[in-house]
Amino acid sequence: METVGSGGRLDSGGLDRSRSSSKLVALLVFFPPACFRFSPQLSARVAEEMGVTLGEEVGYTIRFEDLTNSGTTMIKFLTDGVLLREMMDDPLLTKYSVVMVDEAHERSISTDILLGLLKKIQRRRPDLRLIISSATIEAKSMSAFFQTSKRRRALEGEELGPRMDPAILSVEGRGFHVQIHFVEEPVQDYVQAAVSTVLLIHDQEPMGDILVFLTGQDDIDAAIHLLNEEAQTNRKHSSGLILLPLYSGLPRAEQELVFSPTPRGKRKVVISTNIAETSLTLEGIVYLVDSGFSKQKFYNPISDIENLVVAPISKASARQRAGRAGRVRPGKCYRLYTEEYFSKEMSAEGIPEMQRSNLVSCVIQLKALGIDNILGFDWPASPSPEAMIRALEILYSLGILDDDAKLTSPAGFQVAEIPLEPMISKMILSSNELGCSEEILTIAAVLSVQSIWVYGRGVHRELDEAKLRFAAAEGDHVTFLNVYKGFLQSGKSSQWCHKNHVNYHAMKKVVEIREQLRRIAQRLGIVVKSCERDMQVVRKAVTAGFFANACRLEAFSHSGMYKTVRGSHEVYIHPSSVLFRVNPKWVVYHSLVSTDRQYMRNVISIDPSWLIEAAPHFYQHHGQNSFGK
DNA sequence: GAGCACTGC
């Protein structure tokens, strides 16, 4: 918060309390997802320093919590998604006089949309002050992005007026010096190299904790296994090491272990995914081992498939990782790649998420904000035209956009109101006519969390047995209804969850999301009604949202091979699905995961005639034969 | 017969 106080340019803006009586003058500080966990604490700290009550002059808003008072709040902390939602009702952000975007260099989809919108609304609101805070490495491109408008406006002969350029702040963390080491020769196996490096540090360096960046759970488990093996064969090397894995899928209690203080004479080794790069901060790290890789999402607009792949990180990421070693005293960073690779081949910045994603949600948000010319929108990083066109095509087929690529009424506007993937939102709208909203809201909430099951090493069999207790012949979606019912009947018991291999935290979130959806549904005039035991209407509603993911079992296929109706891609039912090996002739899936094969996750059996009912335009060219018995 | 980097509304 020093940046706010030290600028000296905000003196007549949002902090002048005397003006708040006549008009709400608010300084709004927005944080991207990575800082989500901290915004309540941050606002509490600011409230404390100002000597005011949290929720009055200073407050915060995150998805399920709004601790602000519209009459008195002058400084509000919020997340990117919340601000985008606010802009749908108030596109010019008239309630605010200053907007500060923090961590803009992270370049999430929401941040990029917001930067584009803020640049646009500055034309209409020259009095709005913008402060963009970004890491040094990205500050230049941020500044360039906002500068172009000025040049373009001058070219267009527009009066430049009193509008000031946004203040671009680059605030580097004040860390201690971190000494960087590179490997001499490229390494073949970064897991093995990371393990050797940890042992070398432990052998030769003074006490201090080690943080290792690998790519995912598999790598992390493998590294821990190797280190444990070493401990058994060579006690001297590894005695005193406390090995701690860290990734988001880890149960909460195990995650917390990384924050416990290191006992005297011991050395903590945290082996982590990217979660420790930005989302959470470990104190006391002195040595850092950087594999140079992370898992990143990539999107193929031709096949409409998002893939998670191991890819080299950027220089910006490498610097961020190194900085994690210098928080308490000077540290050392061991990079498992050569200096030449770093300087010559590593890209300066990562690819913005916008250019690596399916854009249906992004397009619908912009449409709801009244931005019609999506291709001409002034993006900080333009998405590919192919991805844009694919998104428009999908939204058109769902009946969310019309022939002129405008939101349809009411469906398009209603879908934009629902904070979920458009296909799930469409499913909810359809459930109204089919009379099964009660059930579909539950399914929508479950599909919005990562997984309601507890999965882990070596518990596949137990999980399978637990699933059988809830399994429904129709498929995974109906199975979710059984789990939800059981959870409610148990009185939302954590023991019940534990006994059934159900993730308690996920189920609590399901309840929370479902409640939010129920409120929105009622506002949209959806009658929240149950279809009781009629699961056919539930399957029809799922089909109405997910018809584009329809697949047909290949005739004479004993391997369970399906082909997508749309693109004839080869896909299989994932072994975790209740329909695995059941192989109904026709299914729709919620999402694909790609490993050696494309696996369908969350699958439900359907009747092909429902596809033509749900999306006549989408399927008419396939003709009668595609749907033959 | 086996997957899930990280977030958010």
Side-chain angles (χ1 to χ4, degrees):
Chain A
M1 285 316 296
E2 289 159 340
T3 52
V4 171
S6 63
R9 296 157 78 183
L10 304 171
D11 44 357
S12 62
L15 297 178
D16 183 350
R17 278 195 222 185
S18 60
R19 292 169 59 179
S20 66
S21 52
S22 54
K23 185 196 174 204
L24 172 67
V25 183
L27 168 68
L28 169 149
V29 185
F30 139 76
F31 285 90
C35 285
F36 160 70
R37 297 177 194 216
F38 306 124
S39 71
Q41 285 91 325
L42 242 164
S43 47
R45 169 79 184 275
V46 172
E48 190 190 320
E49 296 210 357
M50 288 172 65
V52 298
T53 313
L54 183 63
E56 295 298 328
E57 287 86 345
V58 176
Y60 68 88
T61 308
I62 55 181
R63 184 173 187 178
F64 297 115
E65 250 179 292
D66 180 12
L67 203 61
T68 60
N69 178 336
S70 57
T72 55
T73 300
M74 293 188 299
I75 301 182
K76 172 156 140 187
F77 293 81
L78 40 67
T79 48
D80 49 9
V82 174
L83 184 56
L84 278 174
R85 290 276 149 199
E86 279 194 14
M87 288 179 86
M88 288 186 188
D89 295 328
D90 179 15
L92 291 178
L93 291 172
T94 54
K95 283 192 299 196
Y96 303 106
S97 55
V98 180
V99 175
M100 174 171 171
V101 181
D102 200 6
E103 309 268 7
H105 59 273
E106 284 186 10
R107 307 304 300 273
S108 69
I109 291 181
S110 305
T111 305
D112 273 13
I113 296 177
L114 274 173
L115 291 172
L117 290 169
L118 288 171
K119 178 173 168 181
K120 200 176 164 75
I121 66 178
Q122 270 224 312
R123 286 170 168 230
R124 303 267 300 276
R125 283 208 48 201
D127 59 309
L128 180 72
R129 294 304 321 275
L130 294 183
I131 304 165
I132 315 289
S133 151
S134 160
T136 309
I137 198 163
E138 294 254 5
K140 234 186 195 166
S141 50
M142 283 299 153
S143 173
F145 172 65
F146 280 98
Q147 286 290 330
T148 53
S149 72
K150 201 173 170 184
R151 252 183 281 139
R152 189 152 80 185
R153 290 197 308 153
L155 281 174
E156 287 167 4
E158 194 178 323
E159 192 67 46
L160 282 178
R163 187 183 68 92
M164 284 180 282
D165 285 325
I168 314 274
L169 300 174
S170 51
V171 192
E172 293 295 286
R174 278 171 302 172
F176 291 91
H177 178 69
V178 176
Q179 197 184 343
I180 308 282
H181 299 268
F182 291 94
V183 294
E184 297 284 327
E185 294 293 330
V187 304
Q188 297 300 316
D189 175 350
Y190 61 77
V191 174
Q192 183 59 58
V195 166
S196 310
T197 308
V198 167
L199 293 170
L200 195 75
I201 294 167
H202 189 48
D203 216 33
Q204 302 184 349
E205 298 287 338
M207 276 303 174
D209 294 341
I210 306 174
L211 172 61
V212 183
F213 278 110
L214 295 179
T215 62
Q217 188 179 344
D218 280 353
D219 282 358
I220 291 167
D221 289 345
I224 288 181
H225 180 73
L226 286 171
L227 283 163
N228 275 328
E229 257 182 4
E230 178 67 22
Q232 299 201 325
T233 56
N234 195 343
R235 287 215 153 267
K236 184 171 75 77
H237 265 168
S238 49
S239 68
L241 287 184
I242 301 171
L243 304 176
L244 298 169
L246 179 62
Y247 45 85
S248 80
L250 207 62
R252 196 69 56 89
E254 285 181 58
Q255 268 188 30
E256 305 266 310
L257 291 178
V258 304
F259 296 109
S260 58
T262 311
R264 225 180 158 70
K266 299 274 188 184
R267 194 198 292 272
K268 208 154 72 180
V269 184
V270 178
I271 307 184
S272 173
T273 61
N274 247 14
I275 192 170
E277 189 178 308
T278 48
S279 301
L280 51 88
T281 306
L282 298 170
E283 298 299 335
I285 299 296
V286 180
Y287 305 100
L288 192 119
V289 181
D290 174 15
S291 65
F293 289 95
S294 68
K295 281 196 185 172
Q296 292 162 41
K297 184 176 67 186
F298 288 93
Y299 174 65
N300 178 346
I302 307 300
S303 60
D304 186 36
I305 291 173
E306 282 182 344
N307 264 338
L308 205 55
V309 296
V310 173
I313 61 169
S314 66
K315 282 196 180 87
S317 261
R319 292 207 175 92
Q320 172 81 13
R321 288 180 172 188
R324 295 302 193 184
R327 295 187 62 89
V328 289
R329 60 180 159 106
K332 289 187 179 181
C333 169
Y334 299 81
R335 290 178 171 161
L336 303 178
Y337 38 92
T338 65
E339 185 162 15
E340 192 184 6
Y341 174 81
F342 174 80
S343 58
K344 292 194 180 143
E345 289 181 54
M346 213 174 223
S347 62
E349 297 163 8
I351 303 168
E353 192 187 7
M354 181 75 81
Q355 298 176 334
R356 299 184 281 115
S357 306
N358 172 310
L359 298 171
V360 283
S361 295
C362 169
V363 166
I364 204 165
Q365 273 180 320
L366 286 173
K367 292 283 177 186
L369 286 158
I371 314 283
D372 282 326
N373 182 4
I374 304 269
L375 288 165
F377 186 66
D378 196 0
W379 306 91
S382 297
S384 77
E386 291 83 3
M388 273 293 164
I389 287 160
R390 172 59 61 144
L392 291 168
E393 199 179 279
I394 294 170
L395 291 172
Y396 175 76
S397 76
L398 284 163
I400 291 168
L401 294 179
D402 63 18
D403 290 335
D404 301 322
K406 291 207 161 40
L407 283 181
T408 54
S409 185
F413 285 96
Q414 289 177 324
V415 165
E417 282 278 310
I418 304 174
L420 298 173
E421 298 165 37
M423 282 153 124
I424 298 185
S425 307
K426 177 65 194 293
M427 172 178 85
I428 293 174
L429 293 189
S430 303
S431 73
N432 190 30
E433 298 133 42
L434 291 159
C436 56
S437 306
E438 192 76 65
E439 286 76 16
I440 287 295
L441 287 180
T442 304
I443 290 171
V446 174
L447 291 176
S448 302
V449 301
Q450 281 231 334
S451 171
I452 58 164
W453 305 107
V454 177
Y455 53 89
R457 298 174 291 286
V459 297
H460 283 307
R461 206 173 51 88
E462 290 95 318
L463 176 55
D464 282 350
E465 283 167 7
K467 259 185 208 173
L468 280 180
R469 282 172 232 149
F470 305 101
E474 294 89 349
D476 297 305
H477 302 67
V478 179
T479 303
F480 295 153
L481 293 177
N482 295 337
V483 176
Y484 182 75
K485 209 160 126 195
F487 181 61
L488 291 192
Q489 278 169 357
S490 79
K492 301 179 189 168
S493 142
S494 63
Q495 277 123 331
W496 180 90
C497 286
H498 186 74
K499 208 173 67 198
N500 291 295
H501 281 262
V502 168
N503 183 330
Y504 175 62
H505 287 285
M507 288 309 293
K508 283 215 308 206
K509 205 167 168 194
V510 165
V511 171
E512 217 170 18
I513 294 174
R514 193 184 184 285
E515 177 52 26
Q516 185 193 29
L517 294 178
R518 199 187 52 78
R519 279 199 308 269
I520 294 170
Q522 282 180 334
R523 205 172 64 219
L524 296 178
I526 292 174
V527 185
V528 182
K529 176 174 172 295
S530 169
C531 58
E532 305 301 335
R533 275 180 208 82
D534 182 6
M535 287 304 126
Q536 175 155 324
V537 286
V538 168
R539 290 153 71 206
K540 278 189 175 178
V542 174
T543 309
F546 289 91
F547 56 81
N549 295 350
C551 298
R552 181 194 178 160
L553 184 70
E554 282 293 280
F556 313 115
S557 164
H558 300 292
S559 56
M561 186 215 291
Y562 284 77
K563 289 260 175 89
T564 62
V565 175
R566 190 167 41 151
S568 273
H569 291 296
E570 187 180 316
V571 294
Y572 296 83
I573 293 181
H574 195 279
S576 66
S577 168
V578 297
L579 292 185
F580 179 69
R581 281 209 286 240
V582 177
N583 293 334
K585 190 158 182 186
W586 288 90
V587 296
V588 293
Y589 63 83
H590 170 245
S591 62
L592 287 180
V593 292
S594 310
T595 51
D596 51 331
R597 284 176 170 181
Q598 307 275 7
Y599 284 109
M600 302 181 265
R601 281 184 66 202
N602 301 329
V603 184
I604 192 163
S605 78
I606 59 154
D607 184 305
S609 65
W610 302 343
L611 294 172
I612 304 163
E613 248 172 71
H617 296 296
F618 197 75
Y619 280 112
Q620 65 187 2
H621 65 279
H622 287 281
Q624 199 62 39
N625 288 338
S626 317
F627 299 104
K629 299 272 145 77

